[in-house]
């Protein structure tokens, strides 16, 4: 098929803005891209065209953000805090400093105690089901449970979890970017941390790169988590003046160089120059 | 606790030290015309026969080590071990030479899979603690052995890995990955020489910084940290993990390209991390 893809905007030339286009036209095209990302992603999350249409209509009438994704994720956040406690409180770790295998029920250093501390509104069996579905734990004989991996809470198993998680991530990223724009306009440089590295690698090496990055990212996040925990409010008064801070890291892969904003030819020339040096 | 940048160096250094012991044998081989492949086949046979003699006997029954266990210890397939035991010395060596094939150590394959296969690593990329028996998640030691050392009994592989200090068996039948390379224990000449080399490297860096501050080498340290025994128990694995991750990242970042590839004279550098404790 010749010409543009269905619904695709006229091509914007490399370097930002086509000479013939006004800034407003480009902005509109970017907005179309943004909406497309959301619309097509929602389709992949399983929403029908009718549901997406209805949601878009409702959203256009709103003047402030609805609060849906946060409460959906609240149990997962509590579960994350439970796992962190299990891996960091001296009561729950073994001689190696690793999470101990715990009796599921009972008083003292048991899973029941942890469940009551972090998910007291849920019955123990429900917490157990939740943790078995979404964390790296295994049930052991004699009613015991072991945390065999890291403190990750995997949301893939729940119906709304992945979408809610995506919304939180996009919202956090958008808020940080908007805040930084505001700071820039005021001539201030103390914005929120926002960094990105981008490169091109052979596709077959992606898995290997992930293996290399995984422990580094994991350790960095654990370290950030320790910093947050040290500053956690310890009184109601402190809590009133508190703010939620998140540090997110992700790795993405894009085979469409144009979409990624990369000119591979330039990169190849640079690599060739470096090889000659 | 000192950590070398490349743990594989330990194996290499030990093998290098052992090679000195082989020199008189090689001299004889050269004299009487035994080739390297012939010698390798003989060595394999001797290795297997010696492993049957030297590996610990079963604690209760008193029986000698099984074929599987000898196979894992010697890095030889168990059918090969059986054949060597049945055929005996020289016949077996000849046959081995004739059917020489590249065999991998089962233990190394199991450990490698445990470290790199996302099915057996945590979301942080580290080896999971594995329950011995199969479970619904298909993340158990039995699953690991089935995938990376098919045909071997999980219990036999476990015994071998424990004997080498690669893994630890915890309560509730959970196995914890310790290290791919066994830690050197005891006051042996090799270990003492290795420790002395590390002390020398540290000393050279410190004195270089005093004597030639304009060409200072990296030396950084934390301030004193006061910890209760409980806190220390929690912090120690964190320090170990962070240091390992940091060193691995450095190795990956600066591992390529090698200066020697272009015929440029190379300087060997390294970064060591260690913790200290005033009791």
């Amino acid at each position: 098929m010749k010409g543009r893809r269905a619904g695709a905007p006229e091509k914007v030339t490399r370097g930002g803005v086509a000479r013939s286009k006004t800034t407003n036209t480009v902005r509109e095209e970017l907005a179309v891209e943004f909406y497309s990302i959301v619309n097509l992603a929602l389709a992949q999350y399983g929403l029908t065209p009718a549901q997406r249409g209805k949601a878009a209509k409702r959203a256009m009438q709103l003047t402030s953000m609805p609060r849906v994704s946060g409460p959906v994720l609240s149990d997962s956040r509590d579960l994350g805090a439970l796992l962190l406690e299990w891996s960091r409180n001296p009561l729950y770790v073994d001689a190696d400093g690793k999470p101990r295998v715990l009796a599921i029920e009972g008083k003292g250093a048991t899973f029941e105690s942890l469940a009551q501390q972090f998910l007291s509104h849920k019955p123990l069996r429900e917490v157990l089901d939740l943790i078995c579905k979404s964390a790296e734990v295994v049930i052991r004989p004699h009613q015991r449970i072991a945390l065999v991996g890291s403190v990750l809470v995997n949301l893939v198993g729940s119906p709304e979890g992945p979408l809610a998680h995506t919304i939180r991530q996009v919202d956090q990223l958008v808020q940080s970017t908007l805040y930084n724009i505001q700071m820039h306009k005021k001539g201030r440089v103390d914005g929120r941390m926002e960094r990105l590295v981008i490169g091109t690698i052979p596709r077959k090496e992606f898995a290997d790169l992930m293996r290399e990055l995984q422990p580094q990212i994991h350790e960095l996040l654990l370290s950030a988590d320790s910093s947050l925990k040290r500053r956690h409010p310890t009184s109601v008064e402190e809590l009133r003046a508190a703010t939620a801070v998140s540090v997110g890291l992700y790795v993405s892969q894009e085979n469409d160089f144009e979409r990624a904003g990369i000119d591979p030819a330039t990169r190849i020339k640079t690599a060739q120059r470096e090889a000659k040096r | 606790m000192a950590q070398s940048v490349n743990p594989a160096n330990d194996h290499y250094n030990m093998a290098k030290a052992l090679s000195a012991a082989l020199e008189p044998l090689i001299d004889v081989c050269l004299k009487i015309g035994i080739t390297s492949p012939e010698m390798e086949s003989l060595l394999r046979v001797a290795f297997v026969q010696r492993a049957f003699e030297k590996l610990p006997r079963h604690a209760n029954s008193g029986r000698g080590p099984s074929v599987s266990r000898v196979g894992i210890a010697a890095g030889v397939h168990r059918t090969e071990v059986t054949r060597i035991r049945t055929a005996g010395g020289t016949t077996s060596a000849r046959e081995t030479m004739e059917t020489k094939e590249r065999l991998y150590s089962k233990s190394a394959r199991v450990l490698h899979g445990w470290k790199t296969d996302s099915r057996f690593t945590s979301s942080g990329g580290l080896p999971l603690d594995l329950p011995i028996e199969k479970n619904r998640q298909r993340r158990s030691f039995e699953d690991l052995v089935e995938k990376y050392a098919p045909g071997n009994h999980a219990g036999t592989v476990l015994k071998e890995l424990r004997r080498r200090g690669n893994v630890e068996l915890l309560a509730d039948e959970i196995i914890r990955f310790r290290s791919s390379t066994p830690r050197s224990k005891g006051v042996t000449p090799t270990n003492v020489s290795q420790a002395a080399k590390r002390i020398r490297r540290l000393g050279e860096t410190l004195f270089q910084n005093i004597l030639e501050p304009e060409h200072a080498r990296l030396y950084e340290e934390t301030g004193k940290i006061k910890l209760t025994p409980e806190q220390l128990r929690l912090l120690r694995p964190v320090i170990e993990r962070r240091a390992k991750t940091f060193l691995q990242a450095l190795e990956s970042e600066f591992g390529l390209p090698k200066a020697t590839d272009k015929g440029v004279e190379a300087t060997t550098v390294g970064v060591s991390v260690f913790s200290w404790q005033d009791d």
Side-chain angles (χ1 to χ4, degrees), chain A:
Chain A
M1 188 178 75
K2 260 192 163 187
R4 289 187 286 158
R5 286 186 300 272
E10 196 181 322
K11 194 175 172 184
V12 178
T13 59
R14 209 181 139 240
V17 183
R19 284 197 183 93
S20 60
K21 288 178 186 294
T22 63
T23 305
N24 280 341
T25 317
V26 177
R27 276 187 177 200
E28 193 181 311
E29 284 175 358
L30 287 171
V32 171
E33 184 177 352
F34 201 6
Y35 275 122
S36 306
I37 288 170
V38 172
N39 184 42
L40 296 175
L42 288 174
Q44 288 196 49
Y45 281 114
L47 274 88
T48 63
Q51 283 175 313
R52 282 180 273 147
K54 199 174 157 190
K57 216 171 179 180
R58 282 177 59 197
M60 291 304 277
Q61 291 161 0
L62 297 176
T63 51
S64 64
M65 293 284 182
R67 293 175 175 83
V68 184
S69 55
V72 165
L73 292 174
S74 131
D75 281 352
S76 307
R77 304 266 196 257
D78 291 340
L79 196 61
L82 181 156
L83 290 168
L84 214 54
E85 185 77 352
W86 191 352
S87 66
R88 287 193 181 167
N89 186 326
L91 273 179
Y92 297 105
V93 299
D94 63 19
D96 287 341
K98 300 232 174 136
R100 270 171 47 195
V101 182
L102 301 177
I104 292 174
E105 289 177 60
K107 287 180 181 169
T110 63
F111 181 74
E112 187 174 2
S113 303
L114 282 172
Q116 270 174 2
Q117 192 180 337
F118 292 96
L119 287 143
S120 55
H121 60 285
K122 280 187 178 290
L124 179 62
R125 285 289 135 193
E126 228 175 279
V127 181
L128 200 58
D129 285 346
L130 184 67
I131 203 169
C132 287
K133 259 198 304 197
S134 47
E136 292 171 339
V137 299
V138 285
I139 301 291
R140 306 304 303 142
H142 314 297
Q143 287 291 296
R144 288 164 74 76
I145 184 167
L147 174 54
V148 294
S150 67
V151 294
L152 172 99
V153 177
N154 192 340
L155 299 163
V156 175
S158 80
E160 300 88 13
L163 178 53
H165 179 58
T166 306
I167 294 166
R168 293 302 331 124
Q169 288 201 91
V170 171
D171 185 27
Q172 286 154 5
L173 182 61
V174 168
Q175 293 308 319
S176 287
T177 308
L178 287 173
Y179 178 84
N180 289 343
I181 293 167
Q182 288 300 317
M183 288 296 105
H184 180 74
K185 279 180 183 166
K186 288 177 188 170
R188 288 171 59 178
V189 288
D190 52 343
R192 291 173 193 155
M193 188 77 186
E194 192 195 337
R195 297 286 183 276
L196 177 75
V197 289
I198 189 162
T200 41
I201 63 165
R203 282 177 211 173
K204 63 180 183 193
E205 284 180 27
F206 183 76
D208 191 44
L209 177 75
M210 279 301 293
R211 266 196 296 275
E212 188 181 320
L213 293 179
Q214 216 175 358
Q216 296 177 49
I217 293 174
H218 180 70
E219 283 305 317
L220 180 62
L221 286 176
L222 283 179
S223 172
D225 200 69
S226 291
S227 301
L228 294 176
K229 198 167 183 201
R230 274 203 314 276
R231 292 167 171 83
H232 194 272
T234 50
S235 68
V236 180
E237 276 163 20
E238 279 183 2
L239 194 61
R240 277 196 202 112
T243 183
V245 179
S246 59
V247 180
L249 281 168
Y250 62 90
V251 178
S252 79
Q253 188 182 5
E254 175 59 67
N255 294 334
D256 182 338
F257 287 138
E258 191 182 353
R259 207 179 150 206
I262 287 176
D263 178 8
T266 312
R267 305 232 165 186
I268 287 168
K269 276 179 205 158
T270 312
Q272 282 171 342
R273 265 201 303 274
E274 275 175 10
K276 276 182 194 166
R277 237 181 265 155

Side-chain angles (χ1 to χ4, degrees), chain B residues 23-166:
Chain B
E23 280 168 9
L25 278 176
I26 294 166
D27 291 349
V28 175
C29 290
L30 287 171
K31 218 173 220 176
I32 59 176
I34 293 178
T35 63
S36 169
E38 283 174 305
M39 188 59 197
E40 281 165 26
S41 301
L42 282 169
L43 182 65
R44 176 177 295 174
V45 171
F47 214 119
V48 168
Q49 288 175 330
R50 195 71 178 155
F52 274 113
E53 283 173 39
K54 297 301 279 185
L55 286 177
R57 306 179 83 80
H58 192 277
N60 297 329
S61 66
R63 273 185 305 195
S66 67
V67 167
S68 294
R69 196 156 175 217
V70 167
I72 288 162
V76 176
H77 196 274
R78 63 196 172 110
T79 53
E80 177 83 345
V81 175
T82 309
R83 202 182 54 73
I84 289 171
R85 188 152 75 157
T86 315
T90 46
T91 317
S92 172
R94 195 173 54 244
E95 283 173 14
T96 309
M97 203 176 78
E98 284 166 1
T99 58
K100 194 172 172 63
E101 57 178 356
R102 196 175 174 206
L103 294 169
Y104 296 98
S105 154
K106 303 288 184 298
S107 311
R109 271 162 49 185
V110 167
L111 291 170
H112 182 73
W114 200 346
K115 273 200 319 184
T116 56
D117 187 336
S118 57
R119 191 171 138 201
F120 300 104
T121 54
S122 73
S123 55
L126 298 169
L128 286 168
D129 284 350
L130 292 176
I132 294 180
E133 84 290 355
K134 287 188 177 185
N135 52 35
R136 268 188 304 174
Q137 291 111 315
R138 297 179 58 241
R139 290 169 135 193
S140 69
F141 188 74
E142 285 181 353
D143 288 303
L144 179 73
V145 172
E146 195 173 282
K147 185 165 178 189
Y148 289 97
N152 286 276
H153 187 252
T156 314
V157 177
L158 175 59
K159 263 187 196 166
E160 182 55 25
L161 294 178
R162 284 182 73 193
R163 189 182 69 79
R164 293 178 179 200
N166 299 123

